[in-house]
């Protein structure tokens, strides 16, 4: 069956908008939205849910980001309306604060990324993309998607702008945002105390010490 659509999953600040836009634009694919397996930032659905949908014609894209830069981005803008004062927390307190149904944001990072690996292995058409690698070499990911779709005739259209849920922003530089921040040893210990080494290895990220 021909793949004619994409469904993107990934946590906030993990490039879901940019990568989804890139794939849709380069390969003329329909963007599946909330009525197709729900919120893109959710825990990935299990087989008893996604099997009720036409997944054969959909490419699932799972976006991931290094937790050390991700937690800084989340602290700056957590997109969490349930507790508006979360933006007033220090980074140290934010890292340890309960969010959604998770003990803290690092536990959320672990569990959601683990669910993306699980669903990627279960579904017929999928690709996992680290947002840092995507922005470093978009041609490589164009080629990977072309291989999955068996569509090597599509021209490469580079994604030059910073894209988030509010649109494209020519004045913002994504490469600076994706850099691993300089964190003090106490913050690194707090992050690492909740961080899954297994998921880090699967994502090809290295622990800080």
């Amino acid at each position: 069956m021909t793949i004619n659509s994409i469904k993107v999953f990934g946590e906030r600040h993990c490039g879901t908008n940019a990568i989804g836009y890139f794939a849709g634009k380069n390969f003329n694919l329909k963007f599946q939205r909330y009525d197709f397996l729900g919120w893109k930032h959710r825990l990935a659905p299990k087989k008893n849910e996604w099997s009720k949908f036409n997944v054969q014609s959909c490419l699932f894209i799972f976006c991931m980001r290094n937790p050390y830069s991700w937690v800084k981005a989340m602290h700056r803008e957590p997109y969490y309306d349930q507790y508006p004062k979360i933006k007033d927390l220090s980074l140290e307190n934010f890292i340890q604060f309960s969010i959604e149904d998770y003990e803290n944001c690092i536990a959320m990072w672990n569990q959601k990324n683990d669910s993306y690996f699980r669903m990627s292995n279960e579904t017929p058409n999928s690709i996992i993309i680290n947002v840092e690698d995507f922005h470093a070499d978009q041609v490589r990911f164009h080629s990977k998607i072309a291989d999955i779709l068996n569509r090597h005739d599509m021209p490469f259209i580079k994604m030059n702008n910073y894209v988030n849920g509010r649109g494209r922003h020519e004045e913002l530089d994504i490469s600076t945002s994706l850099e691993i921040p300089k964190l003090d040893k106490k913050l690194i210990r707090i992050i690492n105390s909740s961080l899954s080494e297994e998921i880090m290895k699967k994502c090809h990220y290295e622990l800080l010490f």
Side-chain angles (χ1 to χ4, degrees), residues 68-105:
Y68 299 107
S69 72
W70 174 78
V71 77
K72 287 277 288 186
M74 281 289 288
H75 178 239
R76 184 174 62 251
E77 177 50 83
Y79 296 109
Y80 190 64
D81 296 336
Q82 289 88 334
Y83 186 73
K85 290 185 178 180
I86 194 172
K87 290 186 176 182
D88 298 331
L89 297 175
S90 67
L91 179 57
E92 180 178 336
N93 288 333
F94 173 80
I95 293 168
Q96 300 171 88
F97 188 80
S98 178
I99 185 169
E100 292 183 22
D101 297 324
Y102 303 90
E103 179 183 359
N104 56 54
C105 60

Side-chain angles (χ1 to χ4, degrees), residues 33-207:
R33 301 191 182 275
Y34 204 94
D35 59 348
F36 188 96
L37 293 170
W39 191 40
K40 66 179 179 179
H41 300 314
R42 64 174 289 188
L43 196 74
K46 294 184 178 180
K47 188 174 182 178
N48 63 346
E49 181 182 352
W50 62 251
S51 60
K52 299 172 186 176
F53 290 78
N54 178 15
V55 299
Q56 295 292 335
S57 63
C58 181
L59 172 62
F60 289 94
I61 299 176
F62 300 95
C63 303
M64 301 183 178
R65 179 173 176 173
N66 188 293
Y68 299 107
S69 72
W70 174 78
V71 77
K72 287 277 288 186
M74 281 289 288
H75 178 239
R76 184 174 62 251
E77 177 50 83
Y79 296 109
Y80 190 64
D81 296 336
Q82 289 88 334
Y83 186 73
K85 290 185 178 180
I86 194 172
K87 290 186 176 182
D88 298 331
L89 297 175
S90 67
L91 179 57
E92 180 178 336
N93 288 333
F94 173 80
I95 293 168
Q96 300 171 88
F97 188 80
S98 178
I99 185 169
E100 292 183 22
D101 297 324
Y102 303 90
E103 179 183 359
N104 56 54
C105 60
I106 300 301
M108 181 171 71
W109 185 93
N110 292 333
Q111 292 180 51
K112 288 193 179 182
N113 284 322
D114 189 40
S115 77
Y116 302 149
F117 280 110
R118 185 256 308 152
M119 186 176 176
S120 177
N121 288 329
E122 293 173 345
T123 49
N125 313 300
S126 71
I127 183 171
I128 293 174
I129 299 180
N130 290 14
V131 64
E132 302 88 356
D133 295 340
F134 168 74
H135 283 285
D137 190 355
Q138 294 181 29
V139 173
R140 176 169 169 252
F141 285 98
H142 184 278
S143 178
K144 282 191 167 188
I145 294 171
D147 286 343
I148 294 170
L149 302 177
N150 194 25
R151 295 182 63 185
H152 297 278
D153 57 326
M154 304 300 289
F156 168 71
I157 304 170
K158 187 176 182 179
M159 167 62 68
N160 290 310
N161 301 136
Y162 183 102
V163 181
N164 62 19
R166 300 187 178 102
R168 300 172 70 175
H169 306 272
E170 295 183 6
E171 74 281 5
L172 297 177
D173 178 19
I174 186 62
S175 60
T176 301
S177 173
L178 293 176
E179 291 177 356
I180 305 300
K182 293 181 179 179
L183 301 168
D184 64 46
K185 290 189 180 296
K186 182 180 180 182
L187 284 174
I188 291 172
R189 284 196 302 270
I190 293 170
I191 292 170
N192 288 355
S193 68
S194 295
L195 195 55
S196 166
E197 291 188 35
E198 180 184 358
I199 302 301
M200 287 290 283
K201 288 178 182 177
K202 284 185 177 181
C203 294
H204 303 291
Y205 292 136
E206 295 183 0
L207 288 167

Side-chain angles (χ1 to χ4, degrees), residues 6-23 31 40-41 61-64 116 129 131 135 163-165:
I6 54 172
K7 177 67 178 183
V8 180
F9 285 107
E11 245 307 326
R12 289 149 282 198
H13 300 290
C14 288
T16 56
N17 290 296
I19 292 170
Y21 180 87
F22 173 87
F31 203 96
K40 66 179 179 179
H41 300 314
I61 299 176
F62 300 95
C63 303
M64 301 183 178
Y116 302 149
I129 299 180
V131 64
H135 283 285
V163 181
N164 62 19

